[in-house]
Amino acid sequence: MYEVEVKVPADHAEVRERLDALGADPVNAVEQEDTYYDAPHREFAETDEALRVRRESPEDADSFAELTYKGPLVEAESKTRREVETEVAEGEAAGDILAALGFDPAATVRKERERFALDGYTVTLDAVNGLGEFVEIETEVADEDAVEAAREEAFEILRELELDPEDQIRTSYLGLLLEAESEP
Amino acid sequence: MYEVEVKVPADHAEVRERLDALGADPVNAVEQEDTYYDAPHREFAETDEALRVRRESPEDADSFAELTYKGPLVEAESKTRREVETEVAEGEAAGDILAALGFDPAATVRKERERFALDGYTVTLDAVNGLGEFVEIETEVADEDAVEAAREEAFEILRELELDPEDQIRTSYLGLLLEAESEP
């Protein structure tokens, strides 16, 4: 599966009004704590990969953890990557296994995430600790040929939300946090 | 946790009679398929570590998968290792994540495993594809100081089963399989 995703900074209050007007369906609200790992044998910053343990606490369900690998970009414009993921029963044990193999925790991203469904896309309102508010438009497609069309439709949804595709940020929250930390 | 484990080759029919006579409790019967991975940055054969994805199909419950890291021996006599494990929702995805990170599947061990509880120990009857029948006596202890006493008691249980601690095999099934494969 290829994840097609566009992200812009946006004030959530205004976006909520547009989502309501467009008839978007609230999906859920969660807290996420994502720990990203450095590899012992590759520079993920250079290979453009990521390895993550996510602990997710939904508003109205049990917490769970996921182990995720993100491959290098296959389509730069929409940040499309190969993504492989599985839920794990014990997030802490998954982190311990990675650490034992020489993968070191590099940074942790904490956010409140609210999801809506709109026209087959997921619209996500993220309030990220230390970074502020963002909106993501996201879907998954089965093969690479379908990426371009999915990206164009994601841009169209941004416009319907009165947001500007030109504001697109291609840097991950992890990247933004590391940039913010490295500033004087 | 430290896993204390002793293993001998043994005819299951005779051991079953002794287990019955000693009043051991049947715990469960499962099929296990274990895939072991090579690391891209270490020789696990030299560092004496192992990384495994296990798919377990119990006789009377749903299948599941586990991701396990085994550290080097901390006590050679009883094959005691640090073990970190978590159940994973999708064994195939876990294997795909390892492969994407450069860990290659090295070998697969398939066995039928039957577990009994006896005097606080787990007695395991393993019928391993390509290797034959074995009996393992196993328990877990919280710290390294308790390992030696636990090992002595495991030997005592072997004797009660009319098996000889001198027959102990310290090589893993994976190691035995790789040895068997490398023979002419």
Side-chain angles (χ1 to χ4, degrees), chain B residues 49 58 146 159:
Chain B
E49 300 166 276
R159 288 184 203 101

Side-chain angles (χ1 to χ4, degrees), chain A:
Chain A
M1 295 295 280
Y2 294 89
E3 180 183 79
V4 178
E5 174 185 310
V6 297
K7 175 172 73 189
V8 298
D11 181 79
H12 284 179
E14 291 172 25
V15 174
R16 267 179 231 281
E17 283 178 23
R18 290 296 303 154
L19 284 168
D20 191 44
L22 292 165
D25 293 313
V27 176
N28 64 2
V30 301
E31 284 184 21
Q32 292 181 335
E33 184 183 298
D34 295 345
T35 301
Y36 289 87
Y37 287 82
D38 281 337
H41 59 308
R42 292 183 197 167
E43 277 293 338
F44 280 164
E46 285 168 22
T47 60
D48 191 25
E49 299 167 277
L51 182 63
R52 179 183 76 194
V53 175
R54 165 170 289 176
R55 291 167 183 81
E56 181 159 323
S57 306
E59 212 174 41
D60 48 12
D62 288 339
S63 296
F64 63 94
E66 285 171 340
L67 176 65
T68 304
Y69 166 82
K70 295 194 179 207
L73 287 182
V74 294
E75 213 259 357
E77 188 71 12
S78 66
K79 292 182 51 196
T80 305
R81 303 171 180 283
R82 177 173 173 232
E83 188 167 321
V84 192
E85 188 161 74
T86 177
E87 191 174 328
V88 295
E90 293 170 65
E92 193 179 331
D96 288 348
I97 290 170
L98 294 179
L101 294 170
F103 293 78
D104 289 322
T108 298
V109 179
R110 292 179 184 84
K111 62 179 172 294
E112 293 175 18
R113 163 164 282 189
E114 208 173 338
R115 294 188 185 95
F116 296 82
L118 180 64
D119 299 339
Y121 281 71
T122 301
V123 178
T124 303
L125 276 52
D126 283 335
V128 187
N129 280 20
L131 291 179
E133 295 184 345
F134 299 84
V135 170
E136 280 189 359
I137 315 292
E138 190 177 341
T139 194
E140 284 187 343
V141 294
D143 59 88
E144 210 172 326
D145 294 343
V147 166
E148 178 61 23
R151 183 176 65 84
E152 281 306 320
E153 201 175 326
F155 283 169
E156 191 49 43
I157 290 175
L158 272 184
R159 287 184 205 104
E160 288 177 13
L161 294 171
E162 291 173 2
L163 298 170
D164 187 350
E166 298 274 310
D167 292 340
Q168 189 183 352
I169 291 175
R170 294 194 182 81
T171 309
S172 66
Y173 296 135
L174 173 63
L176 294 173
L177 264 186
L178 294 176
E179 280 174 17
E181 279 173 12
S182 69
E183 277 165 16

Side-chain angles (χ1 to χ4, degrees), chain B residues 106-124:
Chain B
T108 298
V109 179
R110 292 180 184 82
K111 61 180 173 294
E112 293 175 20
R113 163 163 283 187
E114 210 173 338
R115 296 189 185 94
F116 296 83
L118 181 63
D119 299 340
Y121 281 71
T122 300
V123 179
T124 302

Side-chain angles (χ1 to χ4, degrees), chain B residues 48-131:
Chain B
D48 191 24
E49 300 166 276
L51 182 64
R52 180 183 76 194
V53 175
R54 166 169 289 176
R55 291 166 183 81
E56 182 159 322
S57 306
E59 210 173 42
D60 49 12
D62 289 338
S63 296
F64 62 94
E66 284 171 340
L67 176 66
T68 305
Y69 166 83
K70 295 194 180 208
L73 287 181
V74 295
E75 213 259 356
E77 187 71 14
S78 65
K79 292 181 49 196
T80 304
R81 300 172 182 281
R82 176 174 173 233
E83 190 168 319
V84 192
E85 188 160 74
T86 177
E87 192 175 329
V88 295
E90 293 169 64
E92 193 180 332
D96 288 347
I97 290 170
L98 294 178
L101 294 170
F103 292 78
D104 288 323
T108 298
V109 179
R110 292 180 184 82
K111 61 180 173 294
E112 293 175 20
R113 163 163 283 187
E114 210 173 338
R115 296 189 185 94
F116 296 83
L118 181 63
D119 299 340
Y121 281 71
T122 300
V123 179
T124 302
L125 276 52
D126 283 334
V128 186
N129 279 22
L131 292 178

